[in-house]
Structures are given as structure tokens and as C-alpha cells.
């Protein structure tokens, strides 16, 4: 079968491809090959800039043509590298051979043995993948996440004055305000965004065992560690890890996946709460006349966007959990398990992005049903008992908690009239009674 939206095994590359297509330039096989080409080309340019004795004659004016190899990199170029890989049976070596062919075309054949000079494949992988991930997050993922964060903040502001019955353990509790409950999620996400912005994108670069063995044996007088630090930071915008084994130790990647996982957990919590508010009729959903909520029940308008978000956030977090737990562990100098696992970094990012698109759609469909919210408050005057007993405590009234407990835990419905009759019977001053009479489920919401 030909690969297309209908035949793709993964729904990310099938059903949902159009919603996550913006990530393809960073996490696809094409993207990985392109970033490898970029690192190899920039590394050769860096060697020319030292310069190594054998590269002194390289005209720096050719650098723009070299950069064009990755800047103008096409799918046809990637397919050519895949054809070379069928012969080499090594993906990074295939990239090297491809670039050598480009050097021949540019009249640089005499210098092409300095492509990949002294490096191992992980010097390329452990720079390409952090770089592509950094670009994907900064250019696609984080801006979209911030948009959702701002959208949640906007509705929190819009609903800030609406009193609402709180539910602890699923039971009526002291009233709150709808906007404040949403603002809780805004604040939580803000804290994690700060941590996300502080994440270091680390890269291993130092030859087969991280010690620049080959470099030092060929050019023992060069400070190759200083070169590596400068190359990774200035050319790639990453931070070089040292000391390392043959591979990056992935601790910073684990930290990155963990912070995104925490953001996802907050958004999952938000999705569940909004779903519950819809079930409680606190929210209505704007109706699209062309949509169908159920194949059998014409009346249904399901909170499907929040359900889709919940499902995709769960999948994303399961994968992020594995990535952060597995990648920092490798046998001795290195085993190959990291290689196949790293190819999946884009999958949980894509599921998270898919969840964000669902949340945006769902939030924009919400309409507050103030009538239902006010009815719930009016049906639960017992929640004012906390306020009454607190003022009685202030006035040194004997056993106020016990008095309100005896009133409210009878199984009978507590109404405005019930509470006011109770207040009238209290042995307190008229001014205190008047103060207590002013308390309602609608105004006992704190600040």
C-alpha cells in the first residue's frame, strides 16, 4: 500500500497530519537528515576558520555556497542520501558521502576528507537532534502553548466576577469564583513556562569517547575542547556537555521532557475540570449546525474537544515518561538503544500540539451558563455555615461550630429562611445578627 493519510499506521501521520504538519520540518526523517547535513557543513567551516594547515587555502567566499547545501536541502537530496544508506548501511556515513559529492561539484575535492574529520556519528546525532528539537519548540510548540496559556488567562479574566459553588470531594463547599478557579491553571502553567524557558539544550561533541582522541593525535597543539565549546555554542546555539562518554548523557533532555510532561498534566487537569463543568451544565457549548454529537442521539453536544485533549495529553506523557527515564541510561561507553528512541522525540510533541489545538477549539466554544451556576448556589445555602460560625467564633459565642453542625447535618435542605431563622434565635446583638444576615452563597467568595 502507498503511504498516505489513510494508510499511515500512526494517526499523527494519518488522521491528524494536517494539525501537526508544522512539526515535520523538525522531527521527520527528512528533517533529521537535513540537520545532520547542517552540522557537518558548519563543522567543516569551523575547521577552516581555525584554520587547520591543510585548510588555509580554502576561500572563505565559498562558505555561502557550502551553507546552501543545507539551506536549499530538498526532499530529493534526502532521498539521494537514503539511496546511499542502502549501500553503506549507515545513515550518518551516507550524509558524509553526499556532502563529498557536493564538494566535488564545488571544486573542493581536495578538502573533502575533512568532512566528518575526527568525529563519530554521535557527534552529529547528539547535535542535530537537540538543535532540531530546540528549533521546533521555539518556533512552533512554545508559541502555540503560550497562545493557549493566554486564551485560558483571557477567559479567567472574563469570568472573574461570577460566583460559583465549589466542590471538594464532589460535595458542595464554600463558594468561590469561576474566574479564580480558571486562574489557578494560568498560574500553574506560568510557573512551568518559566522552567521551560530555563532548559539548557545540551549536545555532546568530542569524538568517539568524548575526549577528541583523533583530533589530538592529528593536531596535538590545538585546544580541541575550546574549539568544541565554541563550535557548539556559537555555530549551533547549544551548550556542549563535558565530560561525556561516546554519547550525550541526555540529562537536560530528560529535564525538558519532564517539564513538558508537567505542563501536560496541568492541561489534562484543566480538561477534566472543564469536562465536569460541562456535565454540571455550568458551561454550554456553541453549536455548529453541521456537526453531529451522536450517531443515534440527535440532541447531544459532546465536550469532545476536551476529551480529545485529555486522550492525547495522556499518550504524550506516557512517551515523555519513557524518554526521560530511558535516555539517561546507557551501558558503559554506549549502547544503541538511544538511537532508535531518539527518533520518537517528535511523537509526544505532536500529540501535545494536537491536544493544544483541541483545547483552543474547545475553549472558544464555551459559554457560561450563569443561570445554572446561580441555581446551584441558591440550592446550597448550607455553605454559608462556615461564614456564620467564623463570625460567632470572633464574638466568643459558645461552641459555634457545633451549633452550625447540629443545624446543617440533619439531612434536611438548608435554605435562606432556615439560616435566617437560626440567626434570629442566636443570643447576639442586633448588629451582629444584621452582619450575619448579609452573608449569602453569592457573596461569600473571599477575594
Amino acid at each position: 500500500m502507498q503511504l498516505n493519510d489513510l494508510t499511515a499506521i500512526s494517526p499523527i501521520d494519518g488522521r491528524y497530519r494536517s494539525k501537526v504538519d508544522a512539526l515535520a520540518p523538525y522531527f521527520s526523517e527528512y528533517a533529521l537528515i537535513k540537520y545532520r547535513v547542517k552540522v557537518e557543513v558548519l563543522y567543516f567551516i569551523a575547521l577552516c576558520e581555525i584554520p587547520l594547515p591543510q585548510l588555509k587555502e580554502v576561500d572563505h567566499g565559498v562558505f555561502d555556497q557550502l551553507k546552501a547545501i543545507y539551506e536549499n536541502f530538498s526532499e530529493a537530496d534526502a532521498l539521494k542520501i537514503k539511496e546511499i544508506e542502502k549501500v553503506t548501511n549507515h545513515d550518518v556515513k551516507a550524509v558524509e558521502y553526499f556532502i563529498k559529492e557536493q564538494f566535488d561539484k564545488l571544486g573542493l575535492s581536495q578538502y573533502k576528507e575533512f568532512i566528518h574529520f575526527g568525529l563519530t556519528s554521535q557527534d552529529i546525532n547528539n547535535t542535530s537532534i537537540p538543535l532540531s528539537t530546540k528549533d521546533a519548540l521555539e518556533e512552533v510548540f512554545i508559541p502555540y502553548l503560550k497562545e493557549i496559556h493566554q486564551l485560558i488567562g483571557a477567559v479567567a479574566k472574563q469570568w472573574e466576577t461570577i460566583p460559583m459553588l465549589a466542590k471538594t470531594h464532589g460535595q458542595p463547599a464554600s463558594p468561590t469564583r469561576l474566574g479564580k478557579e480558571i486562574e489557578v491553571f494560568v498560574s500553574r502553567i506560568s510557573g512551568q513556562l518559566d522552567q521551560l524557558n530555563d532548559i539548557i539544550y545540551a549536545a555532546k561533541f568530542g569524538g568517539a569517547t568524548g575526549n577528541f582522541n583523533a583530533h589530538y593525535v592529528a593536531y596535538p597543539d590545538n585546544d580541541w575542547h575550546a574549539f568544541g565549546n565554541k563550535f557548539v555554542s556559537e555555530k549551533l546555539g547549544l551548550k556542549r556537555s563535558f565530560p561525556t562518554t561516546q554519547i550525550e548523557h541526555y540529562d537536560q533532555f530528560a529535564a525538558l521532557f519532564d517539564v513538558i510532561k508537567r505542563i501536560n498534566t496541568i492541561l489534562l487537569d484543566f480538561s477534566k475540570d472543564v469536562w465536569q463543568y460541562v456535565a454540571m451544565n455550568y458551561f454550554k457549548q456553541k453549536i455548529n449546525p453541521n456537526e453531529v454529537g451522536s450517531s443515534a442521539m440527535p440532541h447531544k453536544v459532546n465536550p469532545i474537544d476536551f476529551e480529545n485533549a485529555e486522550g492525547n495529553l495522556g499518550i504524550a506523557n506516557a512517551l515523555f515518561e519513557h524518554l526521560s527515564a530511558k535516555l539517561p541510561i546507557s551501558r558503559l561507553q554506549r549502547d544503541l538503544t538511544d538511537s532508535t528512541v531518539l527518533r520518537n522525540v517528535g511523537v509526544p510533541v505532536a500529540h501535545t500540539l494536537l491536544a493544544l489545538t483541541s483545547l483552543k477549539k474547545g475553549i472558544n466554544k464555551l459559554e457560561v451558563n450563569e443561570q445554572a451556576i446561580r441555581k446551584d448556589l441558591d440550592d446550597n445555602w448550607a455553605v454559608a455555615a462556615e461564614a456564620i460560625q467564623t463570625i460567632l467564633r470572633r464574638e466568643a459565642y459558645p461552641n459555634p461550630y457545633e451549633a452550625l453542625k447540629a443545624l446543617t447535618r440533619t439531612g434536611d435542605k438548608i435554605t435562606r429562611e432556615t439560616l435566617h431563622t437560626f440567626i434570629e434565635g442566636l443570643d447576639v446583638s442586633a448588629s451582629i445578627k444584621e452582619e450575619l444576615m448579609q452573608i449569602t452563597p453569592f457573596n461569600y467568595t473571599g477575594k
Side-chain angles (χ1 to χ4, degrees):
M1 299 177 72
Q2 290 293 317
L3 177 62
N4 56 48
D5 289 356
L6 292 175
T7 61
I9 294 174
S10 166
I12 287 298
D13 286 317
R15 179 181 179 89
Y16 304 125
R17 175 69 185 209
S18 63
K19 293 182 172 64
V20 299
D21 197 54
L23 294 175
Y26 309 96
F27 292 122
S28 60
E29 182 74 2
Y30 161 82
L32 176 57
I33 295 170
K34 179 180 178 178
Y35 273 89
R36 284 169 168 163
V37 171
K38 180 176 182 177
V39 172
E40 293 277 18
V41 168
L42 290 176
Y43 171 63
F44 176 82
I45 290 173
L47 293 178
C48 293
E49 290 173 338
I50 296 177
L52 293 182
Q54 290 79 5
L55 299 177
K56 284 182 179 180
E57 302 303 318
V58 176
D59 180 4
H60 289 201
V62 80
F63 289 174
D64 286 343
Q65 291 173 275
L66 290 174
K67 291 178 182 178
I69 297 173
Y70 65 81
E71 290 172 345
N72 300 329
F73 193 76
S74 66
E75 288 186 39
D77 291 330
L79 288 171
K80 188 169 186 178
I81 291 174
K82 294 299 289 184
E83 287 300 312
I84 298 172
E85 186 184 339
K86 290 179 181 178
V87 178
T88 63
N89 197 31
H90 195 287
D91 47 7
V92 176
K93 200 67 179 176
V95 167
E96 179 187 341
Y97 287 164
F98 169 81
I99 298 173
K100 284 182 175 180
E101 291 180 6
Q102 306 309 305
F103 270 45
D104 290 338
K105 294 176 184 178
L106 292 171
L108 298 172
S109 300
Q110 69 190 91
Y111 306 114
K112 63 185 183 182
E113 288 308 319
F114 285 90
I115 301 166
H116 201 71
F117 178 78
L119 300 182
T120 185
S121 59
Q122 282 309 97
D123 294 311
I124 305 305
N125 290 332
N126 286 166
T127 47
S128 299
I129 295 173
L131 182 56
S132 63
T133 302
K134 179 176 181 285
D135 287 349
L137 295 188
E138 292 181 350
E139 295 171 20
V140 177
F141 178 77
I142 293 176
Y144 206 106
L145 176 60
K146 287 182 176 178
E147 182 181 346
I148 300 303
H149 183 229
Q150 291 167 359
L151 179 59
I152 298 174
V155 295
K157 182 71 175 176
Q158 180 183 342
W159 303 331
E160 67 180 352
T161 63
I162 300 175
M164 183 186 77
L165 186 69
K167 295 287 180 71
T168 59
H169 311 283
Q171 305 303 307
S174 298
T176 183
R177 291 184 183 272
L178 175 58
K180 172 260 168 180
E181 296 305 308
I182 304 300
E183 179 65 27
V184 169
F185 295 103
V186 178
S187 177
R188 292 173 67 188
I189 295 170
S190 291
Q192 297 307 312
L193 277 173
D194 288 342
Q195 294 193 40
L196 182 57
N197 289 333
D198 290 339
I199 289 293
I200 295 170
Y201 292 87
K204 177 264 176 181
F205 194 81
T209 57
N211 305 329
F212 282 114
N213 298 29
H215 293 75
Y216 276 110
V217 77
Y219 299 97
D221 295 330
N222 284 10
D223 187 344
W224 287 107
H225 284 292
F227 167 85
N229 292 338
K230 182 177 181 181
F231 171 71
V232 171
S233 63
E234 295 185 9
K235 296 288 188 184
L236 305 180
L238 306 172
K239 185 178 187 303
R240 179 173 173 251
S241 298
F242 182 77
T244 65
T245 61
Q246 187 183 80
I247 62 172
E248 164 65 27
H249 39 60
Y250 302 119
D251 294 336
Q252 295 298 334
F253 244 7
L256 171 65
F257 300 144
D258 284 340
V259 72
I260 298 177
K261 188 178 70 173
R262 288 195 297 274
I263 292 171
N264 286 356
T265 298
I266 294 167
L267 292 173
L268 197 150
D269 194 22
F270 172 79
S271 300
K272 286 175 175 282
D273 274 14
V274 174
W275 188 97
Q276 192 67 46
Y277 289 139
V278 171
M280 292 159 57
N281 206 27
Y282 281 15
F283 287 132
K284 295 179 181 179
Q285 297 179 95
K286 296 173 186 175
I287 296 174
N288 183 335
N290 296 318
E291 291 183 354
V292 174
S294 167
S295 63
M297 294 172 278
H299 69 282
K300 292 191 73 180
V301 183
N302 298 327
I304 189 170
D305 299 306
F306 298 98
E307 293 169 340
N308 282 341
E310 181 181 337
N312 279 290
L313 290 167
I315 292 172
N317 275 8
L319 293 170
F320 280 133
E321 175 72 25
H322 178 67
L323 289 170
S324 65
K326 185 272 155 298
L327 284 173
I329 301 171
S330 188
R331 296 170 182 85
L332 301 180
Q333 271 288 307
R334 188 215 176 173
D335 64 52
L336 269 172
T337 52
D338 64 311
S339 180
T340 189
V341 170
L342 282 171
R343 290 180 179 273
N344 292 279
V345 170
V347 179
V349 177
H351 278 286
T352 303
L353 186 63
L354 186 58
L356 295 178
T357 61
S358 294
L359 284 174
K360 180 179 180 179
K361 184 179 178 182
I363 293 168
N364 283 325
K365 286 164 60 175
L366 292 177
E367 292 180 336
V368 177
N369 186 355
E370 289 196 55
Q371 183 179 358
I373 293 175
R374 293 188 69 83
K375 182 179 185 304
D376 214 1
L377 285 167
D378 201 38
D379 286 343
N380 286 278
W381 275 76
V383 297
E386 179 189 40
I388 294 170
Q389 64 97 4
T390 302
I391 291 177
L392 293 179
R393 283 174 182 264
R394 183 193 72 193
E395 299 301 317
Y397 191 88
N399 302 316
Y401 176 87
E402 288 72 20
L404 270 299
K405 178 182 175 183
L407 172 70
T408 58
R409 288 173 65 92
T410 62
D412 296 332
K413 182 178 178 62
I414 302 299
T415 65
R416 177 178 180 275
E417 290 71 25
T418 307
L419 281 181
H420 284 195
T421 299
F422 173 79
I423 292 168
E424 288 291 353
L426 293 171
D427 185 16
V428 295
S429 67
S431 63
I432 297 300
K433 288 182 180 180
E434 179 61 25
E435 182 182 0
L436 295 174
M437 293 286 190
Q438 299 304 312
I439 299 171
T440 75
F442 304 96
N443 62 23
Y444 181 51
T445 58
K447 290 187 178 180

